[in-house]
Amino acid sequence: MSTLDEWAKGYARQAGADFENYLHFQGESKVPQCHKLQFLQMACEKLAKAHLCLAGTDPKVLQTSHAYIARTLPVVLRQQLIITPVGTHSAAWIMKHIQLLAAEIEMLAPAVKRGGTRPDNCEYPWEDPKGEIVVPIDWTFKLSSLLLINSAPTFLKLVLEAIKRFT
């Protein structure tokens, strides 16, 4: 029977592969933004699940939901911020932006809809309020603009360093 440490390392290793793909495709203009963001969402979700395994959560419970990023990722990155000092901004400023980015990243999973108010996701088409089908490859994700703000490089560096720490 596998240990929680083994599960955590497995999640972290897969998070690393997903994150590498996210970074790789950033420079590819022909790759739709929804695909790039899906790799980021998957990496962050698996990083959060690695943390939860180390905290004692049953891995079977973690396989039933995608809604772990908004609450758990800021905890992981707060811990990483203590280990990996970054930038000139205060920790409070960085954490405010981390929480914003984490909430938007969680919304990229199709299963997370905030009570039906946010059907946009990276994977499947959805119907807009007018009854028209929206396809992810045509959608402009709010997160795309958030990843251009000053805090985004720090966020991404902390994600990468946390993945390394868990592997």
Side-chain angles (χ1 to χ4, degrees):
M1 186 165 185
S2 301
T3 67
L4 291 174
D5 286 349
E6 291 169 328
W7 274 101
K9 187 171 185 171
Y11 273 119
R13 288 185 61 223
Q14 190 63 40
D18 292 340
F19 194 74
E20 283 181 30
N21 279 313
Y22 166 72
L23 293 175
H24 172 76
F25 288 122
Q26 281 308 98
E28 300 291 328
S29 61
K30 292 184 180 180
V31 176
Q33 192 65 19
C34 62
H35 294 311
K36 297 172 187 180
L37 293 175
Q38 187 175 15
F39 279 114
L40 179 62
Q41 183 275 328
M42 292 187 303
C44 291
E45 180 180 328
K46 290 173 185 100
L47 177 57
K49 289 180 177 185
H51 169 81
L52 291 168
C53 282
L54 287 178
T57 303
D58 182 347
K60 289 183 175 110
V61 171
L62 298 175
Q63 295 169 0
T64 62
S65 176
H66 297 280
Y68 291 104
I69 298 170
R71 188 175 300 152
T72 306
L73 190 61
V75 173
V76 173
L77 298 185
R78 184 180 306 114
Q79 292 170 346
Q80 194 61 45
L81 188 56
I82 293 167
I83 300 166
T84 310
V86 290
T88 58
H89 297 289
S90 72
W93 183 88
I94 292 169
M95 288 309 304
K96 175 182 153 196
H97 288 90
I98 284 172
Q99 290 169 340
L100 176 66
L101 288 164
E104 281 302 312
I105 290 169
E106 183 171 287
M107 293 306 303
L108 296 173
V112 180
K113 295 181 179 146
R114 287 194 187 148
T117 62
R118 288 285 304 273
D120 53 309
N121 71 87
C122 286
E123 216 171 330
Y124 300 109
W126 65 89
E127 193 173 38
D128 72 9
K130 297 176 188 173
E132 296 178 15
I133 298 298
V134 180
V135 182
I137 59 172
D138 299 327
W139 186 251
T140 301
F141 291 88
K142 178 180 180 182
L143 182 60
S144 296
S145 62
L146 291 177
L147 288 170
L148 298 175
I149 61 176
N150 292 356
S151 59
T154 299
F155 172 83
L156 295 172
K157 179 180 180 177
L158 290 171
V159 168
L160 178 60
E161 292 302 316
I163 289 169
K164 290 178 185 176
R165 178 169 48 103
F166 282 98
T167 56

